[in-house]
Amino acid sequence: MNILWVFAHPDTRSLNGALRDAALAELGKAGHRVEQSDLYRMNWNPVVRADDYGHDPTGRLHVATASSTALRRGSLAEDIVTEQAKLRRADAVVLQFPLWWFSMPAILKGWVDRVFVEGFGYGIRSEGGSTRRYGDGLMSGKRALVVTSMGGSEYTVSTRGINGSLEELLFPIHHGIFWYTGMSVLPPVLVASADRMTPKDYRAAVDGLADRLSTLFTDSPIAYRSQSGGNYDENFVLRSDLAPDEFGVRVHVG
Ligand SMILES: Cc1cc2nc3c(=O)[nH]c(=O)nc-3n(C[C@H](O)[C@H](O)[C@H](O)COP(=O)(O)O)c2cc1C
């Protein structure tokens, strides 16, 4: 299978760098074809600019609308086109990053911002005219996985942990990016207490990651509710008879 591995860490000698190397070796052994986007090594530009979408003769075109215009004209910036082609080829997409300030490093957010433009990541119309999103889109059929590490312990991201649950922390990526664009979202791989690992902890992290990668194409995805499955009302609010006593991000899992 084809896997796109997006790596966002400035130092290849880091824990994340070592985990990445081990993971890619495992995937290679299993016969997968892996393409990488090693964002720091690529010197990826994370900042959206109007000229990402080709020259705007009026000087007034808004970025959000310029993107679809540019897709029609085929004038997206070269680095965006290259990343979109990698995504189109991928059967699975892995985002690997250290948790920074409860989120992904800015360079990775900027990869998402610039690559998932209108007409590719969002604003896709079905034949009936509705917008394809949340379980449907150009990324449908692809699997998606977050591999992340954090300084805090696993307890701090448990359901009552002080950092908020891991499910809540990763919701913007899982639901807002992966599921929104149509991908099937796998439960994340988390390496916690990453700043004080013993050699034994490191071994366990490498083995745990290898285990998860061995079932990348067979693990059950998170059962997010699809927008088109009759779960939501006309304002995209979850029907009141579904998960009636729950609230927050959890309600979007069926
Ligand atoms: C800018 C920055 C922000 C961080 N924010 C968090 C955080 O929000 N939560 C957390 O548990 N750890 C946080 N950490 C710790 C990192 O997640 C941790 O150092 C990293 O996962 C270790 O992996 P590495 O050696 O590959 O960098 C942060 C570290 C940095 C440098």
Side-chain angles (χ1 to χ4, degrees):
M1 299 293 247
N2 287 337
I3 298 164
L4 174 59
W5 193 283
V6 184
F7 179 70
H9 198 293
D11 187 353
T12 49
R13 297 158 308 172
S14 60
L15 167 68
N16 273 279
L19 290 175
R20 186 266 311 263
D21 294 347
L24 296 195
E26 282 298 318
L27 292 171
K29 262 195 271 167
H32 297 298
R33 183 173 171 274
V34 184
E35 285 197 273
Q36 253 204 95
S37 291
D38 184 340
L39 300 182
Y40 283 93
R41 248 59 56 197
M42 289 159 61
N43 204 18
W44 176 259
N45 164 28
V47 181
V48 174
R49 295 191 193 286
D51 61 6
D52 277 345
Y53 309 114
H55 178 63
D56 165 26
T58 68
R60 285 184 282 108
L61 214 51
H62 186 267
V63 163
T65 54
S67 58
S68 59
T69 310
L71 278 173
R72 281 197 298 276
R73 290 197 312 243
S75 58
L76 279 174
E78 201 57 42
D79 56 350
I80 297 176
V81 173
T82 301
E83 296 309 296
Q84 289 184 346
K86 290 182 189 172
L87 277 161
R88 287 182 202 275
R89 286 192 288 271
D91 301 301
V93 180
V94 179
L95 301 188
Q96 187 197 352
F97 56 92
L99 194 72
W100 282 0
W101 290 112
F102 291 76
S103 187
M104 54 178 132
I107 199 169
L108 179 53
K109 178 60 164 48
W111 181 82
V112 176
D113 289 346
R114 293 189 61 234
V115 174
F116 285 80
V117 295
E118 185 179 6
F120 185 81
Y122 70 99
I124 316 290
R125 298 274 169 192
S126 68
E127 280 183 13
S130 61
T131 302
R132 296 173 60 192
R133 62 188 164 214
Y134 290 122
D136 188 21
L138 288 196
M139 300 295 115
S140 288
K142 301 181 193 301
R143 294 182 151 238
L145 174 70
V146 162
V147 175
T148 191
S149 64
M150 60 183 283
S153 75
E154 62 192 278
Y155 304 110
T156 66
V157 289
S158 61
T159 47
R160 288 164 63 86
I162 193 165
N163 288 338
S165 71
L166 187 62
E167 184 183 13
E168 289 167 329
L169 285 183
L170 295 181
F171 189 77
I173 301 172
H174 281 166
H175 199 256
I177 299 169
F178 288 159
W179 184 239
Y180 188 96
T181 58
M183 298 188 218
S184 299
V185 190
L186 298 173
V189 175
L190 172 69
V191 178
S193 304
D195 295 327
R196 44 183 183 282
M197 293 182 85
T198 63
K200 192 170 159 229
D201 295 333
Y202 172 69
R203 211 48 258 163
V206 169
D207 291 346
L209 179 55
D211 260 10
R212 285 296 310 279
L213 294 177
S214 71
T215 53
L216 186 61
F217 291 99
T218 51
D219 276 345
S220 297
I222 299 171
Y224 285 128
R225 300 177 194 275
S226 64
Q227 175 185 276
S228 59
N231 296 291
Y232 296 93
D233 69 15
E234 66 280 9
N235 295 315
F236 302 111
V237 175
L238 189 65
R239 275 176 20 210
S240 56
D241 58 313
L242 296 172
D245 301 322
E246 291 185 58
F247 52 88
V249 302
R250 289 202 64 88
V251 302
H252 302 295
V253 179

